[in-house]
PDB file of all heavy atoms in Angstrom:
ATOM      1  N   SER T  38     -12.162  -1.990   9.735  1.00  0.00           N
ATOM      2  CA  SER T  38     -12.498  -1.997  11.156  1.00  0.00           C
ATOM      3  C   SER T  38     -12.021  -3.307  11.770  1.00  0.00           C
ATOM      4  O   SER T  38     -12.018  -4.342  11.101  1.00  0.00           O
ATOM      5  CB  SER T  38     -14.008  -1.831  11.348  1.00  0.00           C
ATOM      6  OG  SER T  38     -14.709  -2.919  10.751  1.00  0.00           O
ATOM      7  N   PRO T  39     -11.598  -3.257  13.036  1.00  0.00           N
ATOM      8  CA  PRO T  39     -11.419  -2.039  13.814  1.00  0.00           C
ATOM      9  C   PRO T  39     -10.134  -1.304  13.396  1.00  0.00           C
ATOM     10  O   PRO T  39      -9.365  -1.843  12.617  1.00  0.00           O
ATOM     11  CB  PRO T  39     -11.301  -2.575  15.244  1.00  0.00           C
ATOM     12  CG  PRO T  39     -10.669  -3.918  15.065  1.00  0.00           C
ATOM     13  CD  PRO T  39     -11.222  -4.467  13.775  1.00  0.00           C
ATOM     14  N   GLN T  40      -9.938  -0.117  13.942  1.00  0.00           N
ATOM     15  CA  GLN T  40      -8.707   0.624  13.658  1.00  0.00           C
ATOM     16  C   GLN T  40      -7.531  -0.042  14.340  1.00  0.00           C
ATOM     17  O   GLN T  40      -6.412  -0.031  13.822  1.00  0.00           O
ATOM     18  CB  GLN T  40      -8.825   2.066  14.165  1.00  0.00           C
ATOM     19  CG  GLN T  40      -9.540   2.990  13.221  1.00  0.00           C
ATOM     20  CD  GLN T  40      -9.448   4.433  13.668  1.00  0.00           C
ATOM     21  OE1 GLN T  40      -9.539   4.712  14.867  1.00  0.00           O
ATOM     22  NE2 GLN T  40      -9.286   5.327  12.736  1.00  0.00           N
ATOM     23  N   SER T  41      -7.772  -0.536  15.540  1.00  0.00           N
ATOM     24  CA  SER T  41      -6.710  -1.237  16.256  1.00  0.00           C
ATOM     25  C   SER T  41      -7.322  -2.367  17.073  1.00  0.00           C
ATOM     26  O   SER T  41      -8.514  -2.351  17.389  1.00  0.00           O
ATOM     27  CB  SER T  41      -5.938  -0.276  17.155  1.00  0.00           C
ATOM     28  OG  SER T  41      -6.791   0.262  18.139  1.00  0.00           O
ATOM     29  N   LEU T  42      -6.483  -3.307  17.367  1.00  0.00           N
ATOM     30  CA  LEU T  42      -6.939  -4.522  18.022  1.00  0.00           C
ATOM     31  C   LEU T  42      -5.827  -5.054  18.913  1.00  0.00           C
ATOM     32  O   LEU T  42      -4.671  -5.162  18.466  1.00  0.00           O
ATOM     33  CB  LEU T  42      -7.281  -5.549  16.936  1.00  0.00           C
ATOM     34  CG  LEU T  42      -8.150  -6.750  17.197  1.00  0.00           C
ATOM     35  CD1 LEU T  42      -9.423  -6.370  17.905  1.00  0.00           C
ATOM     36  CD2 LEU T  42      -8.445  -7.439  15.884  1.00  0.00           C
ATOM     37  N   ILE T  43      -6.168  -5.350  20.155  1.00  0.00           N
ATOM     38  CA  ILE T  43      -5.200  -5.973  21.060  1.00  0.00           C
ATOM     39  C   ILE T  43      -5.786  -7.300  21.495  1.00  0.00           C
ATOM     40  O   ILE T  43      -6.894  -7.345  22.043  1.00  0.00           O
ATOM     41  CB  ILE T  43      -4.923  -5.079  22.291  1.00  0.00           C
ATOM     42  CG1 ILE T  43      -4.409  -3.709  21.850  1.00  0.00           C
ATOM     43  CG2 ILE T  43      -3.930  -5.763  23.221  1.00  0.00           C
ATOM     44  CD1 ILE T  43      -4.268  -2.704  22.989  1.00  0.00           C
ATOM     45  N   VAL T  44      -5.068  -8.370  21.224  1.00  0.00           N
ATOM     46  CA  VAL T  44      -5.568  -9.695  21.599  1.00  0.00           C
ATOM     47  C   VAL T  44      -4.511 -10.448  22.366  1.00  0.00           C
ATOM     48  O   VAL T  44      -3.305 -10.178  22.249  1.00  0.00           O
ATOM     49  CB  VAL T  44      -5.998 -10.521  20.362  1.00  0.00           C
ATOM     50  CG1 VAL T  44      -7.103  -9.821  19.586  1.00  0.00           C
ATOM     51  CG2 VAL T  44      -4.822 -10.822  19.466  1.00  0.00           C
ATOM     52  N   GLN T  45      -4.970 -11.420  23.129  1.00  0.00           N
ATOM     53  CA  GLN T  45      -4.071 -12.300  23.866  1.00  0.00           C
ATOM     54  C   GLN T  45      -3.592 -13.385  22.898  1.00  0.00           C
ATOM     55  O   GLN T  45      -4.380 -13.862  22.037  1.00  0.00           O
ATOM     56  CB  GLN T  45      -4.830 -12.935  25.032  1.00  0.00           C
ATOM     57  CG  GLN T  45      -3.962 -13.434  26.165  1.00  0.00           C
ATOM     58  CD  GLN T  45      -3.269 -12.317  26.918  1.00  0.00           C
ATOM     59  OE1 GLN T  45      -3.849 -11.262  27.155  1.00  0.00           O
ATOM     60  NE2 GLN T  45      -2.030 -12.556  27.283  1.00  0.00           N
ATOM     61  N   GLU T  46      -2.352 -13.761  23.029  1.00  0.00           N
ATOM     62  CA  GLU T  46      -1.808 -14.819  22.179  1.00  0.00           C
ATOM     63  C   GLU T  46      -2.709 -16.051  22.260  1.00  0.00           C
ATOM     64  O   GLU T  46      -3.171 -16.443  23.342  1.00  0.00           O
ATOM     65  CB  GLU T  46      -0.399 -15.178  22.647  1.00  0.00           C
ATOM     66  CG  GLU T  46       0.284 -16.224  21.782  1.00  0.00           C
ATOM     67  CD  GLU T  46       1.715 -16.491  22.232  1.00  0.00           C
ATOM     68  OE1 GLU T  46       2.193 -15.805  23.159  1.00  0.00           O
ATOM     69  OE2 GLU T  46       2.352 -17.380  21.645  1.00  0.00           O
ATOM     70  N   GLY T  47      -2.971 -16.636  21.112  1.00  0.00           N
ATOM     71  CA  GLY T  47      -3.805 -17.825  21.062  1.00  0.00           C
ATOM     72  C   GLY T  47      -5.259 -17.543  20.706  1.00  0.00           C
ATOM     73  O   GLY T  47      -5.999 -18.455  20.344  1.00  0.00           O
ATOM     74  N   LYS T  48      -5.649 -16.276  20.810  1.00  0.00           N
ATOM     75  CA  LYS T  48      -7.040 -15.928  20.490  1.00  0.00           C
ATOM     76  C   LYS T  48      -7.229 -15.734  18.999  1.00  0.00           C
ATOM     77  O   LYS T  48      -6.291 -15.421  18.270  1.00  0.00           O
ATOM     78  CB  LYS T  48      -7.442 -14.634  21.214  1.00  0.00           C
ATOM     79  CG  LYS T  48      -7.448 -14.762  22.719  1.00  0.00           C
ATOM     80  CD  LYS T  48      -8.522 -15.721  23.187  1.00  0.00           C
ATOM     81  CE  LYS T  48      -8.619 -15.723  24.700  1.00  0.00           C
ATOM     82  NZ  LYS T  48      -9.573 -16.747  25.202  1.00  0.00           N
ATOM     83  N   ASN T  49      -8.477 -15.882  18.578  1.00  0.00           N
ATOM     84  CA  ASN T  49      -8.829 -15.636  17.179  1.00  0.00           C
ATOM     85  C   ASN T  49      -9.264 -14.185  17.014  1.00  0.00           C
ATOM     86  O   ASN T  49      -9.715 -13.550  17.972  1.00  0.00           O
ATOM     87  CB  ASN T  49      -9.986 -16.538  16.738  1.00  0.00           C
ATOM     88  CG  ASN T  49      -9.676 -18.005  16.916  1.00  0.00           C
ATOM     89  OD1 ASN T  49      -8.516 -18.399  16.935  1.00  0.00           O
ATOM     90  ND2 ASN T  49     -10.714 -18.806  17.061  1.00  0.00           N
ATOM     91  N   LEU T  50      -9.131 -13.670  15.797  1.00  0.00           N
ATOM     92  CA  LEU T  50      -9.571 -12.304  15.563  1.00  0.00           C
ATOM     93  C   LEU T  50      -9.996 -12.130  14.105  1.00  0.00           C
ATOM     94  O   LEU T  50      -9.613 -12.921  13.232  1.00  0.00           O
ATOM     95  CB  LEU T  50      -8.437 -11.310  15.873  1.00  0.00           C
ATOM     96  CG  LEU T  50      -7.191 -11.466  15.025  1.00  0.00           C
ATOM     97  CD1 LEU T  50      -7.093 -10.325  14.011  1.00  0.00           C
ATOM     98  CD2 LEU T  50      -5.952 -11.531  15.872  1.00  0.00           C
ATOM     99  N   THR T  51     -10.791 -11.084  13.876  1.00  0.00           N
ATOM    100  CA  THR T  51     -11.266 -10.790  12.515  1.00  0.00           C
ATOM    101  C   THR T  51     -11.133  -9.303  12.230  1.00  0.00           C
ATOM    102  O   THR T  51     -11.462  -8.467  13.075  1.00  0.00           O
ATOM    103  CB  THR T  51     -12.744 -11.206  12.345  1.00  0.00           C
ATOM    104  OG1 THR T  51     -12.866 -12.607  12.580  1.00  0.00           O
ATOM    105  CG2 THR T  51     -13.231 -10.889  10.939  1.00  0.00           C
ATOM    106  N   ILE T  52     -10.657  -9.000  11.048  1.00  0.00           N
ATOM    107  CA  ILE T  52     -10.543  -7.620  10.563  1.00  0.00           C
ATOM    108  C   ILE T  52     -11.430  -7.502   9.333  1.00  0.00           C
ATOM    109  O   ILE T  52     -11.445  -8.402   8.487  1.00  0.00           O
ATOM    110  CB  ILE T  52      -9.084  -7.289  10.190  1.00  0.00           C
ATOM    111  CG1 ILE T  52      -8.190  -7.411  11.418  1.00  0.00           C
ATOM    112  CG2 ILE T  52      -8.977  -5.893   9.588  1.00  0.00           C
ATOM    113  CD1 ILE T  52      -6.701  -7.388  11.094  1.00  0.00           C
TER     114      ILE T  52
END
Side-chain angles (χ1 to χ4, degrees):
Chain T
S38 62
Q40 277 189 321
S41 63
L42 199 49
I43 302 173
V44 300
Q45 202 67 39
E46 183 177 356
K48 295 294 186 185
N49 302 336
L50 61 107
T51 300
I52 298 168

